[in-house]
Amino acid sequence: MHDVRTVKTPSMPRLAAASLAGTAIEFYDFFVYGTAAALVLGPLFFPTFSPLAGTLAAFATFGVGFVARPLGSVLFGHVGDRRGRRPVLVVSLLLTGASTVAVGCVPTYDTIGVAAPVLLLVLRFLQGLGLGGEWGGAVLLTAEHAPAERRALWSSFPQVGPAVGFVLANGVVLALSATLSEAQFAQWGWRVPFWAAGALAVLGLWLRSSLPESPRFLEIDDHARVPLAELVRDHWRLVLLTAGALAVGYAIFYAVTTWSLAYATERLGVGRTVMLACIMAAVVVKGALTPVMAMLGDRLGRRPLCLVGCAGAALWMFPMVALLATGEPLPMFLGFLGALVAFVTMFAVIAAYLPELYAPRVRCTGAAVGYNLGGVLGGALTPIVATALAEHSGRVPWGVGAYLTGIALLSLGCFALLPETRPVPAAVVAPVTD
């Protein structure tokens, strides 16, 4: 056994801040692509397609990142379970940052033809690969340092990172949209947020350079030789349940932040700046509520909050699309806000819940694979399916509301089959086995 007494334990605020900063930077990289896909990538990289087909093609490249994320979670999860959580944070950040900068350098279809969308596809895949490893490493490093009675609270700070990353990404796009003409934005302005990822990656590496290894990892005597094989053999049911449970969160988030942006600007004629402002305001509130909901998770349990969030999502999807269809800023903001409050009620405690569900020897792989498979089910398909459904709807896209409600009900059923894990004041909760 490793001697954990030789490991200097950092203060939880410092560890939480470093984890938050890293996830914010990596999700900035991931989200800036989604915004660009909704606004400009279709005509620039798929100009021979109709406007609808171009948007669908751009969202398809967006979805490739989600397909890559489970592969990244397997690759980096293996490293995390065999070599430690800390190396995962450095390598995943480098991979995501470098591929994001490269997206900003890809010539358009008019310059290099079909090679342009192919390069875009490859780089998006690499983005997803890096992000697939990032979440598991950042969350586990925080969760496994945190005291049991405050694990949900401290683990929630990496979950604030996506909101910060989204606001950064869309804030840059919003500033460029407000200062550049449409021609300038399409010609070179959309590239600037991707180039900025390089500076952010350097900052993230500096913040993470001195973080210590997880004490829980150092306590493991017998590391799994092939974590994925052990996970599939002993925990396959748990992986499927966690993936199905998390699908609704991804579906809600990307319906609000990606599909609605394209739908409102293309179908309703709402200005890009107005839409970005409405979405960003709702995401800011969601980020601020994350630690609050996590504290409730420490007091009331993880599973009850997840069930309440799922039920709220199922009830709110039809009102959300009706409010979106008004094309008015305040109703749209309220629709987005209600959806994201349901989302954060679940996802504020997920960073504590998933690690507590899996055995320590396969925890990095299991938590990351379950989390990112949920992204494939909910995040990869939602912009594509919602765009296709909305095309055959009237002004109010009721089909999209039905689709999102169905995913919420699926996730509600999966959460109902998962156990509660809120720990007693002991080191780590006994893992769930199948």
Side-chain angles (χ1 to χ4, degrees):
M1 181 183 292
H2 300 276
D3 186 0
V4 297
R5 291 174 298 177
T6 63
V7 179
K8 183 180 179 180
T9 302
S11 69
M12 285 311 302
R14 175 174 167 269
L15 184 63
S19 295
L20 188 158
T23 53
I25 290 165
E26 292 221 40
F27 275 93
Y28 166 92
D29 297 348
F30 202 74
F31 289 148
V32 79
Y33 190 101
T35 303
L39 297 177
V40 297
L41 295 187
L44 291 177
F45 288 87
F46 305 95
T48 60
F49 291 15
S50 68
L52 173 62
T55 300
L56 286 169
F59 280 153
T61 63
F62 175 72
V64 165
F66 285 98
V67 175
R69 282 172 66 168
L71 299 177
S73 65
V74 170
L75 173 64
F76 288 105
H78 183 90
V79 174
D81 284 322
R82 294 282 299 164
R83 303 298 178 189
R85 319 315 191 195
R86 188 174 176 272
V88 171
L89 301 183
V90 175
V91 180
S92 63
L93 185 59
L94 279 172
L95 178 59
T96 308
S99 57
T100 303
V101 172
V103 169
C105 301
V106 176
T108 62
Y109 186 94
D110 289 342
T111 305
I112 60 172
V114 72
V118 171
L119 285 172
L120 205 63
L121 200 69
V122 170
L123 292 171
R124 180 60 175 172
F125 181 87
L126 293 175
Q127 264 192 331
L129 207 65
L131 192 62
E134 158 65 25
W135 186 86
V139 162
L140 261 65
L141 201 63
T142 308
E144 292 182 338
H145 273 98
E149 67 277 8
R150 289 289 181 269
R151 188 175 296 132
L153 173 61
W154 290 116
S155 301
S156 73
F157 285 93
Q159 293 295 82
V160 179
V164 176
F166 180 84
V167 172
L168 281 175
N170 285 271
V172 174
V173 174
L174 184 60
L176 291 166
S177 297
T179 55
L180 300 178
S181 66
E182 291 286 340
Q184 289 173 322
F185 185 81
Q187 185 177 12
W188 59 268
W190 68 272
R191 298 182 184 274
V192 173
F194 291 94
W195 295 336
L200 292 174
V202 172
L203 173 63
L205 290 172
W206 175 74
L207 288 169
R208 288 180 165 183
S209 61
S210 60
L211 292 180
E213 187 50 78
S214 157
R216 298 287 87 78
F217 173 79
L218 296 174
E219 289 172 353
I220 299 172
D221 281 322
D222 184 22
H223 297 282
R225 288 191 61 186
V226 184
L228 180 63
E230 188 169 320
L231 192 71
V232 171
R233 184 185 69 239
D234 298 333
H235 304 285
W236 62 270
R237 180 175 176 271
L238 182 59
V239 171
L240 294 179
L241 283 176
T242 52
L246 299 181
V248 64
Y250 284 98
I252 289 172
F253 193 83
Y254 289 100
V256 169
T257 61
T258 302
W259 167 73
S260 68
L261 181 58
Y263 175 79
T265 54
E266 294 173 8
R267 288 285 301 275
L268 304 179
V270 180
R272 181 169 60 215
T273 302
V274 171
M275 278 305 298
L276 286 172
C278 288
I279 295 169
M280 284 173 60
V283 172
V284 166
V285 177
K286 170 249 175 192
L289 285 176
T290 300
V292 177
M293 293 298 183
M295 285 190 287
L296 286 177
D298 278 324
R299 289 178 60 85
L300 305 176
R302 290 44 161 144
R303 185 171 172 268
L305 264 69
C306 292
L307 292 172
V308 169
C310 266
L315 294 172
W316 188 249
M317 292 302 96
F318 282 110
M320 185 192 78
V321 297
L323 291 167
L324 171 63
T326 67
E328 296 295 327
L330 182 57
M332 290 192 298
F333 164 73
L334 293 175
F336 300 152
L337 181 61
L340 292 182
V341 168
F343 166 89
V344 78
T345 303
M346 297 175 276
F347 271 53
V349 298
I350 286 300
Y353 195 20
L354 261 64
E356 290 167 352
L357 285 168
Y358 288 91
R361 56 188 278 121
V362 295
R363 179 172 287 158
C364 194
T365 303
V369 168
Y371 187 84
N372 288 296
L373 279 177
V376 175
L377 295 174
L381 296 177
T382 292
I384 299 169
V385 173
T387 299
L389 289 172
E391 180 65 16
H392 302 290
S393 301
R395 183 175 177 85
V396 180
W398 297 118
V400 177
Y403 169 75
L404 294 173
T405 301
I407 294 179
L409 293 174
L410 168 67
S411 293
L412 183 65
C414 291
F415 274 124
L417 294 172
L418 288 171
E420 177 57 77
T421 63
R422 183 172 51 142
V424 294
V428 177
V429 171
V432 177
T433 57
D434 293 313

